[in-house]
Every structure is written in C-alpha cells, then in structure tokens.
C-alpha cells in the first residue's frame, strides 16, 4: 500500500510539470519560467528586490503582482521591502508614487507611468498607485515578450476605460457565449469567488479602470439594499486594482422598487428618490463610478414615456450623483417603436439636437456603427456631430454577430477601423479616436466601453482566441495608436507561444480573420442579414419579424435590378448625416469603398466594380474565397501545432472545423438566395453549391433559429 502510494506520488511528480494542459485560466498572465538564457540572467540581475513605500493599496497590489510575475518568469523569489538598503550591492525595482512624478498625461488622469534606470536600480513611477500598477504590468510585458527593460513611459489616451457586462441577476448573460455569468449573485457578499480577483488582475493588466457589472437591459434589483451589499463586495475586490464599479439602471426603478407612481425625471419625488439611492450607493461604495442607461430603446422605459427628452433624464441622474465623483453614460442606441424611416438615421435624429443640453458629467455612449455591431459598419454619424458632448465609443467584444464562440475573429482591426475613421468634421484628421478621446473638442472627460465576452467557462471566453479580443480592447482603450498586429503579437507571445515563426503565423492569421469573416457573411457592405434569433447564422430571406427593421430584406433590398440600400439623396439620404467630404466620397458608387458599397448604394447585378468584376461576380467571389479562407486558417493553425499547448491546439482546431462548416452555410445560403434575384450563374472557377436553397433554409430549423 505504502509502495503503491509512493509510486503514485512519483508518477505525479514526474508527470505534473510536463503534462499539465493549459486550461486557459491564466489568460496572458501566465508568468511561465523563461528558459535559461543570457537574457534571463540579465533580468535576474536587475530584479533582486522590489522596494515599495507607502500605504497606497494599489501600490501594494503593484508590488505583489510584480513579485508574482518575477517569481514565475525568473524562477527566483524577489523580496518586497520598504526601501532599498543603503550601500547594498543588490539591484532592484523601486515602485514610487509621487505627485511630482514626471509622467505623460494624455487624458488628464493620474494613471500614467514612467520606467527608468536610476543608479543600479530601475524605477517605476506614477502619480498614483494605479499609475505604478500600469507601469508594473508594462514591465512584466517586457519580460513576457522578451524585450529589454529599457526606458518606457505611457499614459491612457481615454479617461474611462470600461467593460460593460450584459449579465443578469439569474446568472444568464445576454449575448454571452462563454457559459454563465462570472458573478455569483446568490453567493455574494459572503463568498468572494477567487475568480473576481483574477478578473481584476486581467483588466488592470490591460489598463481597464471600470466595470459595469450588469446588463443595460437592467433589472431594478441592483438598486436594492440587498444587491448593494453584493456590488459593494465586488467593488472591494476591484479597488486595489484601480477599478471602479458602475451600474446599469432601469429607468422605471422609482416605480418598480421605489413605490412611486411615476418615473418622470422632472417630478421632485423622482429626483429625491434617485438622489437618496445614489447617496446610499456612495455610502457603501465611496468610489462608485456612476450609471449607464439604456432608455427608450428596444422596449426599455425612459424619460420619453413622460414626454421628456434623453437630456432631461441624463441630467436628472447626473444631479442625483450630488457632490460625488461619478458620471452618467447615456446610450444613444435607440430606434423608435414605430419607425417608417431608415433606422440608420434614428439615433442621430434623436440626439444631434440635444448637443449642448447635457450636464458636464454626462457622456453619450454611441455604438461604433449606426445599426448594431455588424461585422462591418461605417462609423456612426453621431461621431463629430455632437461637439459639445463627450461621446463614449461602445464596441462589442462578445461576438454576437461575429460567430459567437466558435469563429476565430480577431477584433482589433474592427475596433481600429472605427477609431481611425475620419469624420472630416474639422477637416482631414478629425478621426473618431479624436472625438472619443476628447481632443477634437477639448473635453475634460472621455470614455470607451466594450461589451464583455467573459463568462464562467474555465478559459473565460469560450473560444481560446476570444481572449485576444478582451486583451485588444483594453490595449486600444489605453492607446488606440497601437497597431492590431503589435497587439496580436504581444498577446500571442504571452498566451500561446514565444516561438517566433509560430507567433508570426498566428498573428498573420488573426490579422486576416475579421476580413475573412466579413467575406463569407456580409461582403461589400451587406448588413443585418443574420438569423432572427441566433445572430450569427444567415437568414437573408427573413421578411417577417416583429418590425420591418428586424428583417433582412429591409437591409439588403435585393430585387431583380440589384442589391443594396440606397442611402444617397435619391434614397433615404442617410449619407447627409456625414460631413460633406465623407458624403462626397461615399455618395458616388464609383468612389465609395467597396467595403461600404451596399451600405449606401443599390447596385445593378451586372454593374462592373473597380475590381473589374460585376457586382454579382464580385459577391460570389467574396463568398467563395471567404469560405475557402477558413481552410487556409485551418492550415495555418495546423502548422503551429508543435509550438502550442496540445489542449489549446485541439480546442481551436475543433472550433475552426465548426467555422468551416458554418462559413459554407453562410456562403450557400447567401449565393443561392441572392441568385433568385440576379438569375445569374455562379461564375467560374467556383462550382455551384451542392445543396439547394430549400435545403439550406431548412438548416435554420436545425440550428434552432426559429
Ligand atoms: O445588438 C443588440 C442585442 C441586444 C442588446 C442591444 C443593445 C442589450 O441584440 O441583445 O441588448 O443590442 O445594445 O442594447
């Protein structure tokens, strides 16, 4: 018996280090031991102690994280001391919070950091503990990606960098594909799942400083005293990581839980109710960040129910925050209950005229595009149209319309396409990024929000590569000038492998993945042709739904003449919402980028495009080459097998195989359906789909889209 136990123990000891599969839990913060090398020796020599002086809780976090990272990466214990010992020959890292620190300050925050050599030591300094924490993560990133510990400095370009969780009290996540919610409401506040802390570490490591914990389709419950204790417990876990909590609020809360007869923002009792609730929140959570509101949108209640405007509502909530340091983020994702116009224009029409009416602590939160997180959208026309109002850019990290948790789609190129888009409102260079960071119109506050793709799955995001989208969102929120490739390279080296060829192959595949997805789903500016219930499958034939703008035919407008939504002056004229220079380029089908063509033009099937092909042939070419490219991705992935963890490799390979099937599903559904209008053959060298349109349509039931 004893012998058997000893043998078992031996097997365990021998097996453990080599065979522990990577379950993805550690994200990009693996801190695995760097192989013995001259570089590791240099790192070791430079990191013999950490000195951190001061009571700041975030500084303590920074010291602990650095210690943990160095222990793992260098395999040497690094003591944390209060001060570097005088006259010691040891070299160490000094963490210094100083109001006088010479750090960059792009977003009027105190979160910048600077890393520099001072004598034998390396100093990481910032004007706040958070600044030092971000510096520490930057330093660890240098080690993780095997870079020199040279001079480094950074500061966020955007002040409020938030994840928006669409998580519900019952543990479900709206449009979440990685299991249930990570928040265990029933266990809070007594039990703090260790995951909360790891979640905070991950967010801090990429520079995020705020978390809206609940769905914008909000339950009033979060404002009850009972839930406040739960939110307070989470805030306590996040605070040492420089992260503040925010709540989405239900507009009708004064009626639903407050016992009032109205939620009219101009009613004094309603005002008092919100002020009292807000005060109670600040009593419990002194650094509470503020409120996010979805009002008068998709059936949610709002101030318009009482004939009041969005500004009336937002300003009342801002006033309720009192003297506390909080903000209100008011969403512009609205479209009227009975609209017969073009949904593209609705948010603009409702919000543009309110510019200048919002109180200084209100930011209006605008989705990247005018419709709804489609695989490719032109930038939202509100960017640049509300110069007196700070606008939060909202992007979707969770892949509601981009393949859920089975398609490999790296989203940094999508985020950047919007940030880099030039609104031209103040001449060339008036990019969305400059609207959002406040620099174009000199706003004191600025914000960016990403709808989280995180769930209770062990690897956080379902698809292992989905982690890259969380990572990329944070990095771009911090500094939108980083390139998609640079971010992918960092993430891959920290998460999957440091083998240079494999890194290059994976980064190349990631870089192309979003365009590939667009090609096999919605090429040339098609949009909103997905399934009614599951938003990532094709249903271009959808003609009946709760409202016309929930169908697909409303958007693609296929007929015997051609395809696409005419939004020029002869159509809905949504183009008129953009600056003249943008109108000019996009308004002419000859100069409109092909990526946006069918967003703005109804184009004849036989119309030649700049590629030399007719619209029909180009459409088919994109569907076919897009679907074929998934096979290419599979080959790329197969080639890196020796360099990545076996479990992660197998998981991604299996998901790519699903993606291949579903790309063919999209391709066949769309070319066969549009062919019923074009009446043209599938062009050579492509072969017509082996299945009929009826067969593809029946897949909708198979995938339970109905
Ligand atoms: O894209 C749509 C989603 C809804 C979501 C809404 C929104 C939270 O399908 O699930 O609701 O956007 O952004 O409010």
């Amino acid at each position: 018996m004893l012998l058997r136990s000893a043998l078992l123990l031996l097997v365990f000891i021998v097996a453990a280090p080599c065979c522990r599969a990577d379950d993805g839990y550690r994200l990009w913060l693996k801190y695995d031991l760097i192989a013995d090398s001259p570089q590791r020796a240099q790192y070791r020599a430079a990191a013999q102690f950490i000195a951190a002086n001061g009571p700041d809780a975030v500084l303590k976090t920074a010291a602990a994280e650095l210690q943990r990272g160095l222990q793992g990466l260098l395999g040497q214990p690094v003591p944390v001391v209060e001060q570097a010992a005088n006259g010691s020959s040891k070299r160490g890292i000094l963490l210094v919070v100083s109001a006088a620190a010479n750090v960059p300050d792009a977003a009027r925050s105190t979160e910048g950091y600077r890393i520099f050599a001072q004598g034998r030591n390396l100093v990481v300094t910032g004007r706040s503990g958070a600044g030092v924490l971000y510096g520490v993560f930057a330093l660890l990133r240098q080690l993780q990606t095997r870079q020199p510990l040279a001079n480094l400095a950074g500061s966020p370009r955007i002040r409020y960098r938030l994840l928006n969780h669409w998580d519900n009290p019952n543990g479900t996540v709206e449009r979440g594909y990685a299991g249930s919610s990570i928040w265990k409401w029933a266990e809070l506040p007594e039990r703090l799942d260790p995951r909360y802390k790891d979640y905070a570490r991950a967010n801090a490591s990429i520079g995020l400083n705020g978390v809206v914990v609940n769905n914008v389709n909000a339950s009033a419950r979060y404002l009850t005293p009972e839930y406040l204790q739960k939110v307070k417990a989470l805030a306590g876990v996040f605070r040492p990581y420089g992260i503040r909590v925010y709540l989405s609020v239900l507009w009708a809360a004064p009626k639903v839980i407050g016992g009032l007869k109205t939620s009219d923002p101009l009613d004094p009792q309603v005002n008092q109710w919100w002020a009292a609730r807000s005060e109670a929140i600040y009593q419990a959570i002194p650094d509470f960040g503020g409120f996010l509101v979805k009002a008068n949108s998709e059936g949610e209640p709002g101030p318009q129910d009482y004939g009041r405007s969005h500004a009336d509502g937002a300003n009342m909530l801002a006033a309720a925050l009192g003297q506390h340091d909080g903000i209100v983020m008011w969403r512009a994702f609205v479209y009227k209950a009975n609209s017969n116009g073009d949904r593209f224009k609705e948010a603009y029409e409702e919000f543009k005229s309110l510019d200048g009416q919002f109180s200084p602590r209100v930011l209006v939160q605008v989705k990247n595009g005018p419709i709804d997180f489609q695989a490719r959208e032109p930038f939202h026309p509100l960017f640049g149209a509300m110069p007196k109002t700070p606008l939060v850019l909202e992007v979707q990290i969770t892949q509601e319309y981009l393949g859920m948790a089975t398609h490999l789609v790296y989203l940094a190129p999508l985020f950047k396409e919007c940030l880099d888009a030039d609104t031209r409102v103040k001449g060339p260079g008036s990019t969305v990024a400059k609207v959002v960071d406040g620099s174009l119109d000199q706003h004191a506050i600025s914000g960016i929000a990403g709808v989280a793709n995180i769930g209770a799955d062990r690897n956080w995001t379902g698809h292992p590569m989905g982690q890259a989208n969380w990572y990329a969102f944070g990095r771009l929120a911090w500094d939108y000038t980083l390139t998609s490739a640079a971010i992918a390279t960092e993430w891959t080296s920290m998460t999957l492998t440091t083998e240079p060829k494999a890194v290059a192959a994976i980064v190349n595949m990631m870089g192309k993945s979003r365009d590939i997805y667009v090609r096999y789903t919605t090429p040339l500016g098609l949009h909103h042709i997905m399934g009614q219930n599951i938003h990532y499958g094709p249903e271009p034939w959808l003609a009946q739904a709760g409202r016309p703008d929930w169908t697909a035919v409303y958007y693609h407008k296929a007929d015997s003449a051609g395809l696409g939504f005419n939004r020029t002056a002869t159509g809905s004229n949504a183009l008129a919402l953009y600056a003249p220079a943008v109108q000019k380029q996009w308004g002419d089908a000859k100069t409109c980028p092909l990526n946006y063509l069918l967003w703005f033009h109804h184009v004849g099937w036989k119309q030649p495009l700049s590629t030399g092909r007719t619209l029909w042939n180009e459409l088919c070419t994109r569907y076919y080459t897009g679907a074929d490219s998934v096979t290419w991705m599979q080959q790329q992935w197969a080639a890196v097998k020796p360099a990545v963890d076996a479990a992660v490799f197998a998981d991604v390979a299996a998901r790519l195989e699903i993606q291949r099937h579903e790309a063919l599903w999209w391709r066949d559904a769309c070319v066969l359906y549009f062919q019923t209008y074009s009446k043209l053959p599938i062009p050579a060298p492509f072969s017509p789909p082996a299945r009929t349109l009826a067969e593809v349509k029946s897949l909708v039931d198979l995938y339970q889209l109905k």
Side-chain angles (χ1 to χ4, degrees):
M1 185 64 197
L2 205 66
L3 184 69
R4 208 170 138 233
S5 313
L7 270 178
L8 269 180
L9 189 69
L10 192 70
V11 168
F12 178 73
I13 291 169
V14 173
C18 77
C19 304
R20 191 175 70 171
D22 182 356
D23 62 10
Y25 183 81
R26 294 176 302 157
L27 296 160
W28 48 87
L29 301 173
K30 295 204 155 61
Y31 301 149
D32 283 337
L33 182 65
I34 297 175
D36 193 6
S37 59
Q39 200 177 27
R40 188 178 80 183
Q42 277 172 18
Y43 291 152
R44 278 188 171 181
Q48 296 174 52
F49 66 88
I50 298 163
N53 199 0
D56 189 305
V58 186
L59 180 69
K60 286 202 187 345
T61 307
E65 188 69 28
L66 185 57
Q67 185 179 42
R68 174 179 182 159
L70 294 175
Q71 164 79 57
L73 287 158
L74 306 181
Q76 75 182 7
V78 183
V80 179
V81 298
E82 289 228 330
Q83 257 185 332
N86 265 342
S88 152
S89 60
K90 291 218 163 107
R91 295 170 57 199
I93 301 171
L94 317 183
L95 306 184
V96 182
V97 178
S98 162
N102 173 21
V103 292
D105 178 16
R108 305 185 201 196
S109 77
T110 56
E111 298 169 299
Y113 64 84
R114 188 177 291 281
I115 304 173
F116 57 95
Q118 189 179 65
R120 328 173 50 77
N121 300 322
L122 204 59
V123 177
V124 182
T125 188
R127 280 197 261 136
S128 66
V132 174
L133 180 63
Y134 297 135
V136 157
F137 279 116
L139 189 69
L140 286 169
R141 200 155 50 229
Q142 294 293 104
L143 272 86
Q144 288 173 282
T145 55
R146 316 289 187 262
Q147 305 296 312
L149 303 182
N151 291 344
L152 277 180
S155 75
R157 289 175 186 268
I158 297 173
R159 170 108 164 251
Y160 298 101
R161 304 176 300 282
L162 276 75
L163 282 185
N164 287 185
H165 283 262
W166 284 358
D167 295 19
N168 301 313
N170 66 3
T172 58
V173 182
E174 178 143 354
R175 315 304 178 188
Y177 311 104
S180 53
S181 170
I182 54 172
W183 317 127
K184 307 278 180 264
W185 296 111
E187 297 176 359
L188 286 162
E190 291 84 1
R191 178 174 180 272
L192 296 172
D193 191 316
R195 193 176 259 255
Y196 303 153
K197 191 169 155 184
D198 288 322
Y199 164 84
R201 289 177 57 230
N203 279 342
S205 77
I206 51 177
L208 296 175
N209 63 6
V211 175
V212 183
V213 292
N214 64 313
N215 192 352
V216 287
N217 293 335
S219 159
R221 237 182 246 198
Y222 292 93
L223 295 167
T224 61
E226 189 198 3
Y227 264 71
L228 202 48
Q229 290 311 307
K230 299 172 188 284
V231 178
K232 175 185 173 178
L234 287 179
V237 179
F238 301 160
R239 189 169 298 116
Y241 292 87
I243 295 168
R244 299 167 72 176
V245 294
Y246 298 72
L247 286 175
S248 295
V249 291
L250 174 72
W251 185 259
K255 277 171 79 178
V256 176
I257 55 166
L260 301 187
K261 291 203 170 58
T262 174
S263 296
D264 180 349
L266 300 192
D267 181 290
Q269 277 190 307
V270 171
N271 280 244
Q272 279 159 22
W273 188 84
W274 280 109
R277 275 294 81 205
S278 163
E279 192 51 44
I281 295 174
Y282 278 99
Q283 287 304 318
I285 309 168
D287 58 351
F288 177 67
F291 299 122
L292 172 63
V293 192
K294 172 176 178 179
N296 293 119
S297 165
E298 299 190 327
E300 294 295 317
Q304 292 177 345
D305 303 348
Y306 306 93
R308 315 298 182 194
S309 72
H310 289 292
D312 293 330
N315 295 345
M316 186 276 284
L317 270 189
L321 293 167
Q323 298 306 307
H324 302 289
D325 172 30
I327 54 169
V328 173
M329 291 159 290
W330 194 272
R331 292 177 92 226
F333 177 69
V334 296
Y335 50 102
K336 291 184 198 72
N338 298 307
S339 161
N340 50 12
D342 177 359
R343 180 169 151 194
F344 190 116
K345 301 196 284 190
E346 293 199 26
Y348 184 101
E349 285 170 348
E350 283 197 42
F351 277 83
K352 161 82 182 154
S353 60
L354 299 176
D355 191 29
Q357 294 184 30
F358 290 99
S359 97
R361 285 198 285 167
V362 175
L363 302 98
V364 170
Q365 181 158 316
V366 182
K367 288 189 181 182
N368 57 291
I371 298 296
D372 194 358
F373 295 139
Q374 298 298 290
R376 173 167 270 131
E377 298 205 22
F379 69 86
H380 200 299
L382 276 175
F383 291 113
M386 297 185 69
K388 298 188 182 123
T389 313
L391 300 185
V392 177
L393 167 62
E394 178 179 320
V395 296
Q396 199 176 39
I397 310 171
T398 188
Q399 292 169 238
E400 174 179 358
Y401 301 98
L402 284 109
M404 293 177 28
T406 42
H407 294 222
L408 193 166
V409 187
Y410 174 53
L411 295 177
L414 187 162
F415 303 157
K416 277 199 71 97
E417 194 168 284
C418 177
L419 286 159
D420 293 345
D422 196 345
T423 70
R424 303 290 291 265
V425 286
K426 290 191 174 173
S430 311
T431 58
V432 170
K434 287 186 185 162
V435 172
V436 171
D437 76 6
S439 62
L440 196 67
D441 302 299
Q442 280 82 49
H443 289 301
I445 52 176
S446 54
I448 185 164
V451 180
N453 61 345
I454 299 158
D457 278 4
R458 180 72 189 157
N459 73 0
W460 304 86
T461 55
H463 199 308
M465 306 291 283
Q467 294 180 2
N469 294 331
W470 177 8
Y471 183 85
F473 171 73
R475 296 290 285 137
L476 286 173
W478 178 271
D479 182 0
Y480 55 74
T481 68
L482 294 170
T483 65
S484 299
I487 297 170
T489 305
E490 282 178 6
W491 178 81
T492 303
S493 330
M494 294 193 285
T495 313
L496 297 177
T497 174
T498 50
E499 202 281 303
K501 272 199 186 139
V503 173
I506 294 168
V507 169
N508 181 34
M509 177 177 70
M510 288 168 75
K512 298 196 160 88
S513 59
R514 185 280 189 123
D515 260 319
I516 291 171
Y517 184 84
V518 171
R519 285 172 92 89
Y520 66 73
T521 59
T522 47
L524 295 169
L526 284 171
H527 50 283
H528 208 290
I529 58 170
M530 71 288 165
Q532 189 177 358
N533 294 332
I534 290 187
H535 280 170
Y536 83 108
E539 210 174 350
W541 45 84
L542 181 68
Q544 294 295 326
R547 41 186 295 157
D549 52 9
W550 285 350
T551 68
V553 298
Y554 173 95
Y555 295 96
H556 64 64
K557 305 231 185 285
D559 57 20
S560 59
L563 181 65
F565 199 135
N566 179 0
R567 292 189 166 105
T568 69
T570 59
S572 80
N573 207 18
L575 258 170
L577 310 185
Y578 290 100
V582 175
Q583 284 182 43
K584 192 161 174 259
Q585 195 201 359
W586 294 356
D588 181 344
K590 291 199 189 61
T591 53
C592 182
L594 289 185
N595 284 338
Y596 299 139
L597 186 65
L598 304 176
W599 271 99
F600 297 109
H601 299 276
H602 190 71
V603 182
W605 294 113
K606 292 186 179 167
Q607 178 72 38
L609 305 182
S610 55
T611 56
R613 299 186 189 96
T614 62
L615 172 71
W616 171 250
N617 286 359
E618 186 64 37
L619 192 75
C620 290
T621 302
R622 293 193 182 207
Y623 273 115
Y624 275 80
T625 56
D628 287 349
S629 298
V630 180
T631 308
W632 173 81
M633 293 210 288
Q634 290 181 296
Q635 289 157 358
Q636 300 303 296
W637 186 247
V640 303
K641 185 173 184 182
V644 301
D645 175 86
V648 174
F649 177 83
D651 191 355
V652 172
R655 288 174 203 261
L656 279 168
E657 182 58 11
I658 301 172
Q659 185 171 354
R660 189 179 69 81
H661 285 296
E662 292 179 348
L664 291 172
W665 174 33
W666 267 97
R667 182 197 77 181
D668 292 354
C670 294
V671 299
L672 289 173
Y673 168 72
F674 290 130
Q675 192 175 40
T676 63
Y677 292 96
S678 79
K679 310 255 191 270
L680 292 167
I682 304 289
F686 310 114
S687 329
R691 45 193 170 182
T692 65
L693 181 57
E695 283 165 346
V696 186
K697 280 188 178 178
S698 71
L699 291 175
V700 169
D701 299 329
L702 188 72
Y703 282 88
Q704 293 189 329
L705 297 189
K706 295 268 181 200

